[in-house]
């Protein structure tokens, strides 16, 4: 797939900016805080309706404005699509495809696919499980857009169950609490099972690809394993069995839940374990080795999305090339070649190979404006 144009209106520090992409690789150059990452973030939003920066919509809308709009034309094997995402300070969003407004956001997801890679991704190794769950969920949204809906339903039930626990844990006796909770338990188990099974399937597919990339980058000296460790024990990926295990665990933890007034069981407490040579990646080795791991994950995401959607997704490289040593840079560049349309941000062109510079479109970014070369 190929992103042909992008228009940003009142988005972050862009007032009204058109960009035409005319090469497989576009390098956005500029000093810090000029708007390079903002542009990549806009593309990420079109692909996933999420931003890895975890910002609220009111931060995406330009200061002093009520509405921001991101518009793009995208060429796919099936034809050209026009995507529009409108963001509002009050958090309400609307999406349109080819000028027609779309009611369900999941019908918008899956039109543009992109893999985003920034230095924040190192948190996948160093940070807590929430970051890894978010990463996997964002990938799943692109592999199966219906997952966005499934996750939303689960989170909705989870919030309501938590609110119920908080409200009633002190006012109801244990028997009434149990019987009322049973309704929420059933819904939590049904929606949660859908989340768990999809996360499991995605990791089953991603893990071998990531391990292969990792072996190739590290010269086979290190073995990367990615393991889905669901909060509900998962014997096999059968819906009834997962659901039963879910309900059994809720029973086990009932006293603790009442004591703490919050839901302690379910995929909001899942972990995705990353190990290198059987040691947790967080504890294993240098920053360089952790970067190799993240690079392997990103290359695996690219490959898996391509396998599933049958077209190469875009790659958004936010200031990461300079953080990789030369050999890893070359591994990445070899893997990309001209197959994946790539948008790259950098503060200086010095770290780029001259072949790359020759074949790339170079755009200068200054204070929310793009100045062509
Ligand atoms: N809602 C907003 N309204 C106006 N300006 C904004 C808004 N959100 C962010 N900005 C501005 O955008 C700029 C940050 O841009 P961005 O994060 O894209 O930086 P960058 O060019 O990628 O640089 P770096 O290398 O530091 O990441 C800052 O000047 C910030 O003040």
């Amino acid at each position: 797939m190929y992103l042909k144009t992008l228009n940003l209106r009142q988005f972050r520090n862009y007032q009204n900016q058109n960009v035409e992409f005319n090469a497989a690789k576009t390098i956005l150059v500029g000093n810090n805080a000029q708007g390079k990452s903002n542009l990549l973030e806009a593309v990420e939003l079109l692909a996933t309706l999420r931003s890895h920066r975890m910002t609220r919509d009111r931060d995406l809308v330009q200061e002093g404005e009520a509405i921001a709009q991101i518009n793009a034309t995208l060429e796919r094997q099936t034809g050209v699509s026009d995507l529009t995402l409108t963001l509002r300070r009050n958090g309400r969003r609307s999406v349109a495809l080819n000028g027609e407004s779309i009611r369900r956001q999941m019908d918008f997801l899956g039109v543009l696919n992109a893999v985003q890679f920034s230095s924040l991704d190192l948190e996948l190794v160093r940070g807590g499980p929430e970051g890894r769950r978010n990463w996997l969920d964002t990938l799943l949204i692109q592999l199966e857009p219906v997952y966005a809906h499934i996750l939303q339903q689960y989170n909705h039930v989870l919030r309501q169950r938590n609110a119920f626990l908080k409200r009633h844990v002190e006012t109801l006796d244990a028997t009434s609490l149990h019987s009322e909770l049973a309704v929420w338990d059933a819904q939590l188990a049904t929606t949660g099972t859908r989340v768990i099974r999809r996360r499991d399937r995605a990791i089953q597919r991603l893990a071998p690809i990531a391990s292969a990339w990792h072996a190739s980058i590290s010269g086979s000296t290190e073995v990367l394993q990615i393991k889905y460790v669901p909060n509900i024990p998962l014997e096999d990926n059968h819906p009834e069995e997962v659901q039963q295990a879910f309900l059994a665990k809720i029973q086990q933890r009932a006293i603790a839940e009442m004591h703490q007034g919050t839901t302690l069981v379910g995929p909001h407490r899942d972990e995705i374990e990353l190990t290198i040579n059987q040691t947790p990646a967080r504890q294993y080795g240098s920053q360089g080795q952790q970067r190799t791991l993240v690079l392997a994950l990103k290359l695996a995401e690219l490959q898996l999305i391509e396998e599933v959607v049958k077209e190469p997704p875009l790659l958004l490289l936010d200031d990461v090339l300079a953080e990789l040593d030369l050999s890893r840079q070359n591994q990445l560049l070899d893997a990309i070649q001209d197959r994946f349309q790539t948008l790259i941000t950098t503060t200086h062109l010095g770290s780029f190979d001259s072949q790359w510079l020759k074949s790339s479109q170079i755009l200068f970014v200054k204070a929310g404006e793009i100045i062509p070369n």
Side-chain angles (χ1 to χ4, degrees), residues 58-169:
R58 82 169 97 122
D59 300 320
L60 300 172
V61 176
Q62 189 164 88
E63 275 159 26
E65 302 291 346
I67 288 184
Q69 200 162 63
I70 307 167
N71 180 263
T73 42
L74 180 80
E75 198 168 277
R76 287 191 62 147
Q77 280 157 17
T78 44
V80 176
S81 306
D82 182 71
L83 297 103
T84 309
L85 167 63
T86 308
L87 302 155
R88 296 179 182 80
R89 197 161 277 280
N90 65 14
R92 231 169 47 76
R93 289 179 172 187
S94 37
V95 288
L97 196 55
N98 301 324
E100 274 190 48
S101 136
I102 295 209
R103 217 173 48 82
R104 297 187 311 176
Q105 298 201 336
M106 70 179 197
D107 294 329
F108 183 83
L109 292 162
V111 179
L112 192 162
N113 295 111
V115 171
Q116 183 285 137
F117 184 8
S118 81
S119 56
L120 289 179
D121 284 310
L122 278 176
E123 286 304 301
L124 286 174
V125 181
R126 298 191 206 132
E130 191 182 1
R132 286 182 285 281
R133 286 193 294 270
N134 267 323
W135 159 73
L136 178 58
D137 288 340
T138 309
L139 172 63
L140 259 161
I141 283 172
Q142 298 203 63
L143 298 176
E144 298 178 74
V146 71
Y147 183 75
H149 179 63
I150 289 169
L151 195 60
Q152 210 172 25
Q153 280 184 323
Y154 176 74
N155 286 328
H156 182 69
V157 175
L158 178 64
R159 270 197 305 275
Q160 290 193 307
R161 190 177 186 275
N162 279 339
F164 178 86
L165 274 171
K166 250 187 211 92
R167 228 178 315 124
H168 294 299
V169 95

Side-chain angles (χ1 to χ4, degrees), residues 12-13 31-38 53 59-63 319 347:
R12 295 269 195 199
N13 63 339
N31 289 335
N32 290 330
Q34 301 303 308
K36 306 181 299 292
S37 309
N38 294 345
R53 285 163 157 181
D59 300 320
L60 300 172
V61 176
Q62 189 164 88
E63 275 159 26
D319 222 4
T347 45

Side-chain angles (χ1 to χ4, degrees), residues 1-8 14 17-28 36 38-44 46 70-75 112 314-316 341-345 359-363 365 370:
M1 60 189 71
Y2 184 73
L3 180 68
K4 293 169 60 159
T5 66
L6 184 69
N7 178 260
L8 305 177
Y14 290 92
Q17 180 67 54
N18 259 318
V19 191
E20 276 186 35
F21 298 96
N22 60 25
K25 294 187 273 298
T26 299
I27 304 177
L28 297 147
K36 306 181 299 292
N38 294 345
L39 191 143
L40 263 52
E41 185 180 35
V43 179
E44 186 191 6
L46 291 179
I70 307 167
N71 180 263
T73 42
L74 180 80
E75 198 168 277
L112 192 162
L314 268 67
L315 176 61
L316 311 172
Q341 184 183 8
T342 307
L343 312 187
I344 307 160
T345 71
S359 62
S360 302
Q361 173 186 23
I362 298 174
L363 300 172
V365 184
I370 308 274

